[in-house]
Amino acid sequence: MKLFNLHQSNKRFIAIEQADGSVRGLEVATGSIPTIEEFLTLTKAAQASISKRISDGKEINMDTVDFLPAVSAPGKVVCIGLNYHDHTKESGYDQPDYPTIFPRFNSSLTGHNCPIIRPTISDSLDFEGELAVIIGKGGRHISKQDALNHVFGYSIFNDGSVREFQFKSPQWTVGKNFDDTGAFGPSIVTADSLPAGGKSLKLQTRLNNNVVQSANTSDMIFHVDELISILSQAVTLEAGDVIVAGTPSGIGWARDPKILMQEGDVCEVEIEGIGTLSNPIKQESVSKPSLSKTAYRSMR
């Protein structure tokens, strides 16, 4: 199943792609049709019932809607750094034997086709195509053997990184959390539609149609089951939490000369079996946010 989190005319919709490629959905309504975040907390039986109602809903013209982040307001977004050997090498680090973990905040998220914002304060905005894991069942001290039973599905993430600020301190958090730099979507593909653990999927990042990253999710050092188990040793995972599983080599900052994202660029991340996340790059405006932007924020 492919699940979409959409909005149109200040109304939020949840939608499902049908076997014929069309998309049908229903407006989110309290007590009737849940948000994505609420849907993820339901039992499988309740999800199946709601999914049937959504699939019987109205057909949606996807050219006329706006995409929200695949999960608008996750309880936690946990990002993993240095999870491909080739990226660790190009970044000049020794390969750690424990996952490199940092958070993302919801204010940094943006949806498919929405702009990634290049901040006025720095010219070092970089791309990172990554697999995103959406937790469907929470828990603590989850075994590696049971970990994949806690996955609802997978999506795509572009971990837009302001490198100048990422390296101002040993902690990367600031450079990874500028507003509207973490693109997330366009949909969630349920785990039963993909190989176990999201393995063996081709991942490709393109900047202005030029391939800048090309890898396979099987190349990850810590795979999805390991990441869930390791994280849950310290943190209670909850339905709707997101794990962003790391990027392969090819980042713009490691190149000579560097390739950094500029206003007018378009960055795409494609993962086999999931789809393509596409975002234009737009220069930050320091003027007062427009009403439409305020309305968009309220949908999260």
Side-chain angles (χ1 to χ4, degrees), residues 29 91 120 134 138 144-145 160 214 220 242 248 274:
S91 300
T120 58
I134 291 85
K144 180 180 174 182
Q145 293 71 28
S214 185
M220 290 193 299
V242 178
I274 301 178

Side-chain angles (χ1 to χ4, degrees), residues 48-62:
S49 175
I50 294 291
S51 296
K52 175 64 166 59
R53 291 177 61 194
I54 293 169
S55 292
D56 289 337
K58 71 173 186 177
E59 186 167 353
I60 294 178
N61 181 348
M62 299 296 275

Side-chain angles (χ1 to χ4, degrees), residues 74-232:
K76 293 183 283 294
V77 181
V78 182
C79 297
I80 308 299
L82 308 179
N83 203 22
Y84 289 77
H85 285 291
D86 55 2
H87 175 55
T88 304
K89 182 177 180 180
E90 74 173 356
S91 300
Y93 290 98
D94 294 329
Q95 184 63 56
D97 58 7
Y98 186 86
T100 300
I101 298 166
F102 59 92
R104 259 203 184 261
F105 309 137
N106 291 342
S107 56
S108 75
L109 303 181
T110 192
H112 171 66
N113 284 345
C114 298
I116 291 174
I117 301 299
R118 182 179 184 268
T120 58
I121 202 168
S122 176
D123 62 357
S124 62
L125 179 64
D126 203 354
F127 48 81
E128 290 191 5
E130 310 196 23
L131 177 72
V133 183
I134 291 85
I135 298 298
K137 183 175 73 170
R140 179 89 192 277
H141 299 299
I142 300 167
S143 70
K144 180 180 174 182
Q145 293 71 28
D146 187 47
L148 295 185
N149 293 324
H150 291 254
V151 176
F152 176 82
Y154 299 89
S155 189
I156 306 171
F157 205 92
N158 189 345
D159 186 29
S161 305
V162 183
R163 301 297 186 192
E164 178 185 354
F165 281 77
Q166 180 182 347
F167 301 126
K168 279 184 178 289
S169 74
Q171 297 292 331
W172 298 348
T173 302
V174 171
K176 297 287 191 171
N177 276 285
F178 276 64
D179 282 0
D180 299 302
T181 56
F184 183 20
S187 65
I188 301 171
V189 176
T190 50
D192 58 2
S193 301
L194 294 168
K199 285 187 177 181
S200 302
L201 302 178
K202 182 180 178 181
L203 184 158
Q204 188 178 89
T205 305
R206 298 182 292 271
L207 185 63
N208 301 326
N209 292 320
N210 296 310
V211 176
V212 288
Q213 292 182 294
S214 185
N216 192 288
T217 57
S218 290
D219 298 333
M220 290 193 299
I221 297 164
F222 299 99
H223 292 282
V224 172
D225 53 355
E226 296 172 282
L227 291 173
I228 291 172
S229 181
I230 291 169
L231 288 170
S232 73

Side-chain angles (χ1 to χ4, degrees), residues 5-70:
N5 186 21
L6 309 170
H7 78 95
Q8 184 181 50
S9 302
N10 293 329
K11 296 178 181 179
R12 188 169 172 180
F13 292 82
I14 186 170
I16 294 175
E17 185 176 274
Q18 307 301 302
D20 63 1
S22 65
V23 176
R24 291 185 175 273
L26 290 172
E27 182 183 347
V28 168
T30 301
S32 177
I33 300 299
T35 64
I36 286 280
E37 292 80 10
E38 293 164 341
F39 183 87
L40 291 169
T41 68
L42 299 175
T43 65
K44 288 186 177 180
Q47 287 177 350
S49 175
I50 294 291
S51 296
K52 175 64 166 59
R53 291 177 61 194
I54 293 169
S55 292
D56 289 337
K58 71 173 186 177
E59 186 167 353
I60 294 178
N61 181 348
M62 299 296 275
D63 293 331
T64 65
V65 297
D66 294 316
F67 290 77
L68 290 165

